[in-house]
Amino acid sequence: MICGKAITGFNLPALDEYCNMPCTGDNTQICGGTDTIYIYVKDNFPYTVGPPSPLSNYNGYSKTSCWRDSPSDRILKHEPDSPIPGDQMTVQKCIDGCAAAGYSSAGVELGRECYCDNVTYPLGPNDYKDKCSMPCTGDATETCGGTDHILVYYRPALPPATARTGVIEIRHSDYDWFFGYIANSTTIGIATPVMDVSWAERFTFEVPEGAASVTQAEITSYKTIDGFPFLGLIQGGANVDSDIAPGSYQYLYLGGTSHSAPGAIPQTGPNGYANNSVTWESSVWNINITTGDLTPQWINSDG
């Protein structure tokens, strides 16, 4: 018996007549055949089908090349802080994990492994494209390196940034009604407004040199919010899932969060509102430097 979420490789559907071997435990049932397999899907659970191809870029990281690697002397010597299950590996998850840990390079290998580092290029012998053709265990449409060969993605260094600090006004997006400032204290972990600016929290964000706007930025709190450094979005307590859509009754809180990478899907784990029961994101702010407008952007679970 073989299980998984992806139909990997370059396999093609076979005629039913080729699946003709009786099961050893019940000879009234058929259990595949020679070089053929019966596949059952539970409750229409989503799965992916190959053949795979390399992902060109994601979240600021671009594909470099296929590099020869060795278990005894890894090109990229670290792993994401939060382990990625081997049967769920994708290029996106590897990049998100390495980005969250502060690494500029992320690499996938053997279809199920992820490594990170800050390294200088070139990394060594490369141009082994056919050696990095193994499908990812979490998405059979993507390649995740191969045996002793790693497919590496790299994010160039960001330009110098300047910190901006101030208070945040809460206004109605359509009518410009003023509701107050984000307070320097919270109610059950949720950011609340105050009318007196002396009670407002001070926040900081970074602006790349010469930039007129910033997208998917993080905003840090001067004194941390309930022990969490970032002002992020948190899934509403009565929501049925993590997704927001027009016309939906689902909602989000402003509150303290840990770090999540730009473009990352909702995260699980402790947050200012409720420990592990709801999801959150921190890199949600689109900032117009000229007007000072802050616009939050939530990423749904499907990206």
Side-chain angles (χ1 to χ4, degrees):
M1 183 175 69
I2 302 172
C3 308
K5 297 180 180 178
I7 301 176
T8 60
F10 295 86
N11 303 307
L12 297 173
L15 297 174
D16 285 346
E17 63 193 65
Y18 290 104
C19 286
N20 53 18
M21 288 188 175
C23 301
T24 57
D26 183 349
N27 60 14
T28 65
Q29 299 179 359
I30 299 298
C31 282
T34 302
D35 296 330
T36 56
I37 184 173
Y38 258 143
I39 296 178
Y40 295 85
V41 178
K42 179 181 178 182
D43 299 330
N44 293 319
F45 191 87
Y47 62 94
T48 56
V49 180
S53 60
L55 186 69
S56 297
N57 54 72
Y58 169 74
N59 196 21
Y61 288 73
S62 297
K63 177 172 65 70
T64 62
S65 190
C66 178
W67 307 86
R68 186 187 299 165
D69 199 17
S70 169
S72 61
D73 186 20
R74 294 285 184 198
I75 287 176
L76 308 181
K77 302 185 183 303
H78 306 280
E79 297 183 23
D81 293 338
S82 299
I84 303 169
D87 63 346
Q88 300 177 23
M89 186 61 62
T90 66
V91 172
Q92 293 93 325
K93 288 181 179 178
C94 181
I95 288 176
D96 284 342
C98 292
Y103 294 108
S104 60
S105 292
V108 283
E109 188 166 347
L110 202 62
R112 57 188 299 115
E113 299 175 357
C114 174
Y115 299 100
C116 319
D117 214 332
N118 295 316
V119 292
T120 302
Y121 289 82
L123 303 177
N126 67 349
D127 199 24
Y128 299 99
K129 295 179 181 178
D130 59 327
K131 301 292 186 180
C132 282
S133 58
M134 191 173 290
C136 303
T137 55
D139 187 345
T141 67
E142 299 177 1
T143 55
C144 274
T147 302
D148 293 334
H149 286 81
I150 185 169
L151 182 60
V152 179
Y153 291 78
Y154 171 68
R155 180 188 63 195
L158 299 176
T162 302
R164 300 285 185 91
T165 300
V167 298
I168 297 179
E169 295 182 351
I170 305 172
R171 291 185 176 273
H172 194 289
S173 60
D174 293 327
Y175 303 104
D176 200 35
W177 295 334
F178 175 65
F179 295 109
Y181 306 92
I182 294 181
N184 59 13
S185 61
T186 63
T187 301
I188 60 170
I190 303 169
T192 53
V194 290
M195 300 305 294
D196 187 343
V197 70
S198 65
W199 290 96
E201 179 59 275
R202 295 182 66 79
F203 296 94
T204 299
F205 63 92
E206 292 190 339
V207 181
E209 187 175 311
S213 62
V214 185
T215 60
Q216 296 182 328
E218 287 183 312
I219 294 178
T220 57
S221 171
Y222 180 73
K223 65 167 189 171
T224 75
I225 307 171
D226 297 316
F228 295 90
F230 301 104
L231 176 69
L233 297 177
I234 303 173
Q235 175 188 333
N239 289 12
V240 297
D241 57 35
S242 300
D243 294 339
I244 302 296
S248 168
Y249 288 101
Q250 307 211 115
Y251 56 95
L252 301 168
Y253 296 126
L254 280 175
T257 71
S258 299
H259 166 76
S260 66
I265 62 175
Q267 307 290 297
T268 57
N271 59 80
Y273 171 64
N275 284 336
N276 298 315
S277 59
V278 295
T279 59
W280 50 268
E281 298 174 16
S282 67
S283 298
V284 298
W285 298 103
N286 296 330
I287 306 172
N288 185 312
I289 307 303
T290 303
T291 64
D293 290 342
L294 311 178
T295 306
Q297 180 181 3
W298 178 263
I299 305 296
N300 281 339
S301 59
D302 60 0

PDB file of all heavy atoms in Angstrom, residues 99-120:
ATOM      1  N   ALA A  99      12.880  32.047   4.212  1.00  0.00           N
ATOM      2  CA  ALA A  99      12.721  33.495   4.342  1.00  0.00           C
ATOM      3  C   ALA A  99      12.401  33.878   5.780  1.00  0.00           C
ATOM      4  O   ALA A  99      12.937  34.862   6.314  1.00  0.00           O
ATOM      5  CB  ALA A  99      11.631  33.987   3.395  1.00  0.00           C
ATOM      6  N   ALA A 100      11.523  33.111   6.424  1.00  0.00           N
ATOM      7  CA  ALA A 100      11.158  33.402   7.805  1.00  0.00           C
ATOM      8  C   ALA A 100      12.354  33.285   8.735  1.00  0.00           C
ATOM      9  O   ALA A 100      12.433  33.962   9.768  1.00  0.00           O
ATOM     10  CB  ALA A 100      10.042  32.466   8.260  1.00  0.00           C
ATOM     11  N   ALA A 101      13.306  32.422   8.383  1.00  0.00           N
ATOM     12  CA  ALA A 101      14.504  32.237   9.201  1.00  0.00           C
ATOM     13  C   ALA A 101      15.619  33.215   8.831  1.00  0.00           C
ATOM     14  O   ALA A 101      16.697  33.177   9.436  1.00  0.00           O
ATOM     15  CB  ALA A 101      15.008  30.802   9.070  1.00  0.00           C
ATOM     16  N   GLY A 102      15.375  34.090   7.829  1.00  0.00           N
ATOM     17  CA  GLY A 102      16.336  35.128   7.481  1.00  0.00           C
ATOM     18  C   GLY A 102      17.391  34.731   6.472  1.00  0.00           C
ATOM     19  O   GLY A 102      18.425  35.394   6.370  1.00  0.00           O
ATOM     20  N   TYR A 103      17.142  33.678   5.689  1.00  0.00           N
ATOM     21  CA  TYR A 103      18.146  33.218   4.720  1.00  0.00           C
ATOM     22  C   TYR A 103      17.816  33.722   3.313  1.00  0.00           C
ATOM     23  O   TYR A 103      16.647  33.798   2.932  1.00  0.00           O
ATOM     24  CB  TYR A 103      18.226  31.697   4.718  1.00  0.00           C
ATOM     25  CG  TYR A 103      18.746  31.123   6.012  1.00  0.00           C
ATOM     26  CD1 TYR A 103      17.902  30.454   6.894  1.00  0.00           C
ATOM     27  CD2 TYR A 103      20.088  31.262   6.359  1.00  0.00           C
ATOM     28  CE1 TYR A 103      18.374  29.931   8.090  1.00  0.00           C
ATOM     29  CE2 TYR A 103      20.569  30.744   7.548  1.00  0.00           C
ATOM     30  CZ  TYR A 103      19.716  30.084   8.409  1.00  0.00           C
ATOM     31  OH  TYR A 103      20.189  29.571   9.594  1.00  0.00           O
ATOM     32  N   SER A 104      18.858  34.016   2.542  1.00  0.00           N
ATOM     33  CA  SER A 104      18.678  34.533   1.180  1.00  0.00           C
ATOM     34  C   SER A 104      18.623  33.424   0.139  1.00  0.00           C
ATOM     35  O   SER A 104      18.261  33.679  -1.010  1.00  0.00           O
ATOM     36  CB  SER A 104      19.808  35.504   0.825  1.00  0.00           C
ATOM     37  OG  SER A 104      21.066  34.855   0.898  1.00  0.00           O
ATOM     38  N   SER A 105      19.001  32.200   0.507  1.00  0.00           N
ATOM     39  CA  SER A 105      18.949  31.067  -0.426  1.00  0.00           C
ATOM     40  C   SER A 105      18.130  29.931   0.164  1.00  0.00           C
ATOM     41  O   SER A 105      18.227  29.640   1.366  1.00  0.00           O
ATOM     42  CB  SER A 105      20.357  30.568  -0.753  1.00  0.00           C
ATOM     43  OG  SER A 105      21.070  31.514  -1.517  1.00  0.00           O
ATOM     44  N   ALA A 106      17.341  29.305  -0.689  1.00  0.00           N
ATOM     45  CA  ALA A 106      16.518  28.162  -0.292  1.00  0.00           C
ATOM     46  C   ALA A 106      16.657  27.087  -1.360  1.00  0.00           C
ATOM     47  O   ALA A 106      16.642  27.396  -2.553  1.00  0.00           O
ATOM     48  CB  ALA A 106      15.052  28.568  -0.138  1.00  0.00           C
ATOM     49  N   GLY A 107      16.815  25.839  -0.942  1.00  0.00           N
ATOM     50  CA  GLY A 107      16.996  24.762  -1.902  1.00  0.00           C
ATOM     51  C   GLY A 107      16.174  23.539  -1.564  1.00  0.00           C
ATOM     52  O   GLY A 107      16.002  23.207  -0.387  1.00  0.00           O
ATOM     53  N   VAL A 108      15.671  22.869  -2.600  1.00  0.00           N
ATOM     54  CA  VAL A 108      14.883  21.652  -2.419  1.00  0.00           C
ATOM     55  C   VAL A 108      15.646  20.482  -3.030  1.00  0.00           C
ATOM     56  O   VAL A 108      16.315  20.613  -4.064  1.00  0.00           O
ATOM     57  CB  VAL A 108      13.491  21.781  -3.063  1.00  0.00           C
ATOM     58  CG1 VAL A 108      12.571  22.624  -2.200  1.00  0.00           C
ATOM     59  CG2 VAL A 108      13.573  22.385  -4.465  1.00  0.00           C
ATOM     60  N   GLU A 109      15.544  19.325  -2.376  1.00  0.00           N
ATOM     61  CA  GLU A 109      16.331  18.167  -2.784  1.00  0.00           C
ATOM     62  C   GLU A 109      15.561  16.882  -2.491  1.00  0.00           C
ATOM     63  O   GLU A 109      14.797  16.799  -1.530  1.00  0.00           O
ATOM     64  CB  GLU A 109      17.659  18.168  -2.017  1.00  0.00           C
ATOM     65  CG  GLU A 109      18.661  17.116  -2.477  1.00  0.00           C
ATOM     66  CD  GLU A 109      20.066  17.368  -1.929  1.00  0.00           C
ATOM     67  OE1 GLU A 109      20.311  18.480  -1.405  1.00  0.00           O
ATOM     68  OE2 GLU A 109      20.914  16.463  -2.030  1.00  0.00           O
ATOM     69  N   LEU A 110      15.760  15.902  -3.340  1.00  0.00           N
ATOM     70  CA  LEU A 110      15.206  14.559  -3.163  1.00  0.00           C
ATOM     71  C   LEU A 110      13.679  14.565  -3.076  1.00  0.00           C
ATOM     72  O   LEU A 110      13.070  13.656  -2.530  1.00  0.00           O
ATOM     73  CB  LEU A 110      15.807  13.898  -1.912  1.00  0.00           C
ATOM     74  CG  LEU A 110      15.764  12.363  -1.842  1.00  0.00           C
ATOM     75  CD1 LEU A 110      16.557  11.757  -2.988  1.00  0.00           C
ATOM     76  CD2 LEU A 110      16.294  11.863  -0.508  1.00  0.00           C
ATOM     77  N   GLY A 111      13.058  15.601  -3.607  1.00  0.00           N
ATOM     78  CA  GLY A 111      11.606  15.671  -3.623  1.00  0.00           C
ATOM     79  C   GLY A 111      10.960  16.040  -2.309  1.00  0.00           C
ATOM     80  O   GLY A 111       9.801  16.445  -2.280  1.00  0.00           O
ATOM     81  N   ARG A 112      11.736  15.960  -1.188  1.00  0.00           N
ATOM     82  CA  ARG A 112      11.106  16.099   0.117  1.00  0.00           C
ATOM     83  C   ARG A 112      11.956  16.842   1.141  1.00  0.00           C
ATOM     84  O   ARG A 112      11.580  16.951   2.303  1.00  0.00           O
ATOM     85  CB  ARG A 112      10.783  14.707   0.672  1.00  0.00           C
ATOM     86  CG  ARG A 112      11.991  13.803   0.787  1.00  0.00           C
ATOM     87  CD  ARG A 112      11.624  12.362   1.146  1.00  0.00           C
ATOM     88  NE  ARG A 112      10.947  12.253   2.406  1.00  0.00           N
ATOM     89  CZ  ARG A 112       9.690  11.841   2.551  1.00  0.00           C
ATOM     90  NH1 ARG A 112       8.979  11.487   1.495  1.00  0.00           N
ATOM     91  NH2 ARG A 112       9.136  11.759   3.744  1.00  0.00           N
ATOM     92  N   GLU A 113      13.107  17.364   0.741  1.00  0.00           N
ATOM     93  CA  GLU A 113      14.016  18.025   1.685  1.00  0.00           C
ATOM     94  C   GLU A 113      14.159  19.509   1.354  1.00  0.00           C
ATOM     95  O   GLU A 113      14.093  19.904   0.195  1.00  0.00           O
ATOM     96  CB  GLU A 113      15.393  17.351   1.668  1.00  0.00           C
ATOM     97  CG  GLU A 113      15.355  15.894   2.083  1.00  0.00           C
ATOM     98  CD  GLU A 113      16.703  15.208   1.940  1.00  0.00           C
ATOM     99  OE1 GLU A 113      17.660  15.868   1.449  1.00  0.00           O
ATOM    100  OE2 GLU A 113      16.814  14.022   2.287  1.00  0.00           O
ATOM    101  N   CYS A 114      14.396  20.323   2.401  1.00  0.00           N
ATOM    102  CA  CYS A 114      14.539  21.771   2.248  1.00  0.00           C
ATOM    103  C   CYS A 114      15.743  22.239   3.054  1.00  0.00           C
ATOM    104  O   CYS A 114      15.888  21.882   4.236  1.00  0.00           O
ATOM    105  CB  CYS A 114      13.276  22.483   2.726  1.00  0.00           C
ATOM    106  SG  CYS A 114      13.386  24.288   2.756  1.00  0.00           S
ATOM    107  N   TYR A 115      16.601  23.045   2.424  1.00  0.00           N
ATOM    108  CA  TYR A 115      17.785  23.573   3.091  1.00  0.00           C
ATOM    109  C   TYR A 115      17.900  25.073   2.817  1.00  0.00           C
ATOM    110  O   TYR A 115      17.442  25.575   1.787  1.00  0.00           O
ATOM    111  CB  TYR A 115      19.041  22.850   2.595  1.00  0.00           C
ATOM    112  CG  TYR A 115      19.011  21.363   2.873  1.00  0.00           C
ATOM    113  CD1 TYR A 115      18.670  20.459   1.868  1.00  0.00           C
ATOM    114  CD2 TYR A 115      19.280  20.867   4.146  1.00  0.00           C
ATOM    115  CE1 TYR A 115      18.609  19.094   2.121  1.00  0.00           C
ATOM    116  CE2 TYR A 115      19.223  19.505   4.408  1.00  0.00           C
ATOM    117  CZ  TYR A 115      18.887  18.619   3.398  1.00  0.00           C
ATOM    118  OH  TYR A 115      18.821  17.272   3.660  1.00  0.00           O
ATOM    119  N   CYS A 116      18.553  25.784   3.762  1.00  0.00           N
ATOM    120  CA  CYS A 116      18.656  27.236   3.693  1.00  0.00           C
ATOM    121  C   CYS A 116      20.079  27.673   4.020  1.00  0.00           C
ATOM    122  O   CYS A 116      20.814  26.968   4.703  1.00  0.00           O
ATOM    123  CB  CYS A 116      17.728  27.905   4.717  1.00  0.00           C
ATOM    124  SG  CYS A 116      16.087  27.182   4.932  1.00  0.00           S
ATOM    125  N   ASP A 117      20.434  28.875   3.554  1.00  0.00           N
ATOM    126  CA  ASP A 117      21.728  29.452   3.936  1.00  0.00           C
ATOM    127  C   ASP A 117      21.863  30.827   3.295  1.00  0.00           C
ATOM    128  O   ASP A 117      21.056  31.230   2.437  1.00  0.00           O
ATOM    129  CB  ASP A 117      22.875  28.546   3.479  1.00  0.00           C
ATOM    130  CG  ASP A 117      24.053  28.567   4.465  1.00  0.00           C
ATOM    131  OD1 ASP A 117      24.228  29.591   5.141  1.00  0.00           O
ATOM    132  OD2 ASP A 117      24.772  27.551   4.551  1.00  0.00           O
ATOM    133  N   ASN A 118      22.899  31.550   3.736  1.00  0.00           N
ATOM    134  CA  ASN A 118      23.343  32.772   3.064  1.00  0.00           C
ATOM    135  C   ASN A 118      24.701  32.444   2.458  1.00  0.00           C
ATOM    136  O   ASN A 118      25.672  32.245   3.192  1.00  0.00           O
ATOM    137  CB  ASN A 118      23.453  33.924   4.064  1.00  0.00           C
ATOM    138  CG  ASN A 118      22.100  34.295   4.650  1.00  0.00           C
ATOM    139  OD1 ASN A 118      21.111  34.387   3.934  1.00  0.00           O
ATOM    140  ND2 ASN A 118      22.046  34.494   5.958  1.00  0.00           N
ATOM    141  N   VAL A 119      24.749  32.326   1.138  1.00  0.00           N
ATOM    142  CA  VAL A 119      25.955  31.813   0.474  1.00  0.00           C
ATOM    143  C   VAL A 119      26.371  32.721  -0.682  1.00  0.00           C
ATOM    144  O   VAL A 119      25.613  33.581  -1.127  1.00  0.00           O
ATOM    145  CB  VAL A 119      25.725  30.379  -0.051  1.00  0.00           C
ATOM    146  CG1 VAL A 119      25.575  29.394   1.092  1.00  0.00           C
ATOM    147  CG2 VAL A 119      24.495  30.331  -0.959  1.00  0.00           C
ATOM    148  N   THR A 120      27.594  32.495  -1.174  1.00  0.00           N
ATOM    149  CA  THR A 120      28.133  33.223  -2.309  1.00  0.00           C
ATOM    150  C   THR A 120      28.064  32.341  -3.551  1.00  0.00           C
ATOM    151  O   THR A 120      28.398  31.155  -3.486  1.00  0.00           O
ATOM    152  CB  THR A 120      29.589  33.643  -2.044  1.00  0.00           C
ATOM    153  OG1 THR A 120      29.634  34.452  -0.864  1.00  0.00           O
ATOM    154  CG2 THR A 120      30.151  34.436  -3.218  1.00  0.00           C
TER     155      THR A 120
END
